[in-house]
C-alpha cells in the first residue's frame, strides 16, 4: 500500500477521533495512529483545506492545533466514525475466530469481546451464518505444542493410542515438534511411562498448556529419525506374518527384519512393541493377514475371531 493509500483512511478517521477526544495532545494522537507528530500536523493542515461544496470559510473543516493540543472547531459533517467494509470485517472475524478455536494462544474472554465488537461494527454484514471457522486437529494443536516447546512448559495430553485403541491422559515435558512423511509429531518425556515418547499430533484429543515448567531428566537425547519414526528394539516381540499382495505395504510401512516372497504374497518378520496392533491388523484384514508366529498370539486372535462370529450370529 502506498503512502497516499494509507493516508486517506487516516484522514477520514481523524475528525471523529478528535471530536471524541477534545484537547488531546498532539503526541498522544500521533502515537494512536502510529505516525510521527510532524506527519500528524501535515495531515491536519490538509484537513484544513477539506470540507463541503462551496469551500468558503463556513464550509471547510476548522481545527486548532498550533500548540501541543488539538481541538475541532467545525467538523463539516465528518462527525461519524468510519464503518468497516464487509471485506474488512470478514477478515477480522476470520482471524479472531481462528484465535478463539486455537487453545492456549490467547485470552479467550478478550478474543470473544473483540469479536463481538467487530461484528457490531460491521452492522450485521458478518454473522454466524456468514463465517464458520473450523480448524483441523493438527492445525489447531500445533501452535500450542510449539509454544510449549519454546516456553519450556509442561503439557497435559489426552492421547489416543491406536495400537491398543485406548485413550490415556498424561503429563509430558515437550522436547520438540517435527514433521515426517507428511505427519506432525510431538517428542516428549512422558512422566507416567518414565521415558521419551513420540505422539502423533492428529491422535492428540486435547491438550492443555500448564503453568508448570517442563522438567525432563538431564541428558536426554532426541531420537534419530534417519530411519523413520518407529524404530523396533531387540526386546520387542518378533512376529512373523503371512500377508497377501494387497497387504504387501506392511513390509514397506514398518521396518521388517526379514521378507520372504511366497507363491502368493509375502512372509514378513518384524518386531512390534504392541501385540494389540497385530491383532487389529489381522482381524481387520478379512483373512489377508495371518500370524505364523508366535503361536500364542495366533491362537488368541483365532479365539477373538471365533467369538466375534458367534456374537454376530447371535449365538
Amino acid at each position: 500500500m502506498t503512502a497516499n493509500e494509507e493516508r486517506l483512511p487516516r484522514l477520514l478517521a481523524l475528525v471523529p477521533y478528535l471530536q471524541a477526544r477534545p484537547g488531546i495532545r498532539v503526541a498522544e494522537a500521533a502515537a494512536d495512529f502510529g505516525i510521527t507528530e510532524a506527519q500528524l500536523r501535515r495531515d491536519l493542515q490538509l484537513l484544513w483545506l477539506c470540507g463541503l461544496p462551496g469551500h468558503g470559510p463556513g464550509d471547510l473543516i476548522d481545527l486548532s492545533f498550533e500548540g501541543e493540543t488539538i481541538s475541532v472547531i467545525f467538523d463539516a459533517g465528518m462527525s461519524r466514525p468510519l464503518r468497516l467494509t464487509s471485506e474488512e470485517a470478514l477478515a477480522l472475524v476470520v482471524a479472531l475466530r481462528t484465535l478463539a478455536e486455537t487453545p492456549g494462544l490467547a485470552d479467550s474472554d478478550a478474543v470473544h469481546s473483540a469479536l463481538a465488537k467487530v461484528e457490531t461494527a460491521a452492522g450485521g454484514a458478518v454473522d454466524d451464518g456468514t463465517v464458520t471457522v473450523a480448524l483441523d486437529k493438527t492445525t489447531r494443536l500445533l501452535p500450542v505444542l510449539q509454544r510449549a516447546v519454546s516456553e519450556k512448559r509442561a503439557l497435559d495430553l489426552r492421547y489416543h493410542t491406536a495400537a491398543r485403541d485406548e485413550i490415556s491422559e498424561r503429563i509430558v515435558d515437550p522436547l520438540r515438534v517435527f514433521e515426517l512423511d507428511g505427519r506432525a509429531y510431538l517428542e516428549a518425556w512422558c512422566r507416567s511411562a518414565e521415558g521419551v515418547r513420540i505422539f502423533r499430533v492428529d491422535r492428540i484429543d486435547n491438550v492443555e498448556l500448564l503453568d508448570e515448567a517442563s522438567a525432563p531428566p538431564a541428558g536426554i537425547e532426541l531420537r534419530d529419525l534417519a530411519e523413520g519414526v518407529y524404530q523396533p528394539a531387540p526386546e520387542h516381540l518378533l512376529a512373523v506374518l503371512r500377508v497377501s499382495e494387497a497387504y504387501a505395504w506392511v513390509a514397506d510401512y514398518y521396518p521388517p527384519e526379514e521378507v520372504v516372497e511366497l507363491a502368493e504374497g509375502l512372509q514378513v518378520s518384524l518386531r512390534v512393541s504392541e501385540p494389540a496392533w497385530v491383532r487389529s491388523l489381522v482381524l481387520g484384514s478379512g483373512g489377508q493377514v495371518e500370524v505364523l508366529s508366535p503361536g500364542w498370539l495366533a491362537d488368541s486372535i483365532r479365539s477373538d475371531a471365533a467369538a466375534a462370529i458367534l456374537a454376530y450370529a447371535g449365538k
Side-chain angles (χ1 to χ4, degrees):
M1 184 178 290
T2 66
N4 286 337
E5 289 173 328
E6 292 177 350
R7 193 180 192 188
L8 178 58
R10 187 170 66 243
L11 290 171
L12 293 172
L14 259 173
V15 174
Y17 166 86
L18 295 171
Q19 280 192 310
R21 301 163 180 81
I24 188 172
R25 297 184 64 81
V26 173
E28 183 181 348
D32 283 348
F33 280 90
I35 57 177
T36 63
E37 292 183 37
Q39 179 62 60
L40 178 60
R41 289 185 183 276
R42 287 194 293 270
D43 288 349
L44 295 173
Q45 288 168 355
L46 180 57
L47 280 174
W48 229 354
L49 304 176
C50 301
L52 300 170
H55 304 290
D59 302 317
L60 300 178
I61 295 171
D62 195 2
L63 306 167
S64 172
F65 57 94
E66 291 301 322
E68 295 303 315
T69 62
I70 311 170
S71 296
V72 178
I73 299 170
F74 177 63
D75 62 26
M78 292 185 61
S79 57
R80 291 178 59 191
L82 289 174
R83 296 185 71 85
L84 292 170
T85 66
S86 58
E87 291 81 4
E88 292 168 336
L90 181 62
L92 285 173
V93 167
V94 169
L96 288 168
R97 290 192 180 171
T98 300
L99 273 178
E101 286 288 319
T102 306
L105 283 192
D107 183 332
S108 176
D109 291 340
V111 170
H112 284 97
S113 174
L115 182 58
K117 291 176 181 177
V118 171
E119 290 175 338
T120 300
V126 179
D127 55 26
D128 289 341
T130 307
V131 179
T132 300
V133 175
L135 304 179
D136 66 73
K137 187 182 294 185
T138 299
T139 302
R140 184 171 60 88
L141 295 181
L142 269 178
V144 185
L145 302 179
Q146 290 164 340
R147 180 180 174 187
V149 172
S150 64
E151 295 182 4
K152 294 181 168 43
R153 291 167 63 180
L155 289 168
D156 186 345
L157 292 185
R158 181 176 169 84
Y159 188 71
H160 174 236
T161 303
R164 297 190 300 271
D165 193 23
E166 293 178 355
I167 299 290
S168 61
E169 293 196 18
R170 55 186 88 194
I171 305 297
V172 302
D173 301 300
L175 302 173
R176 64 172 168 175
V177 174
F178 65 90
E179 290 190 17
L180 191 65
D181 298 329
R183 288 194 175 93
Y185 298 87
L186 168 70
E187 186 169 6
W189 174 264
C190 178
R191 297 183 186 179
S192 57
E194 297 186 343
V196 175
R197 295 291 185 269
I198 291 181
F199 304 95
R200 261 179 54 171
V201 175
D202 61 348
R203 291 180 180 166
I204 298 176
D205 281 355
N206 191 42
V207 61
E208 181 182 352
L209 187 62
L210 303 179
D211 291 332
E212 180 182 349
S214 175
I220 289 180
E221 294 185 3
L222 298 177
R223 183 176 297 186
D224 182 0
L225 301 173
E227 297 184 5
V229 175
Y230 175 71
Q231 297 170 16
E235 65 270 18
H236 290 166
L237 174 71
L238 179 64
V240 181
L241 311 177
R242 179 196 59 77
V243 301
S244 69
E245 292 183 3
Y247 276 75
W249 57 265
V250 171
D252 296 324
Y253 195 81
Y254 300 98
E257 291 202 351
E258 183 182 26
V259 177
V260 178
E261 291 190 10
L262 305 175
E264 295 183 0
L266 303 172
Q267 178 177 303
V268 182
S269 302
L270 70 168
R271 294 194 177 274
V272 295
S273 59
E274 294 287 350
W277 170 81
V278 179
R279 185 184 310 276
S280 177
L281 177 69
V282 174
L283 292 175
S285 71
Q288 298 194 70
V289 179
E290 178 187 357
V291 176
L292 302 179
S293 105
W296 63 265
L297 182 56
D299 292 341
S300 175
I301 294 173
R302 276 193 290 269
S303 176
D304 286 348
I309 292 171
L310 287 174
Y312 182 76
K315 298 180 179 179

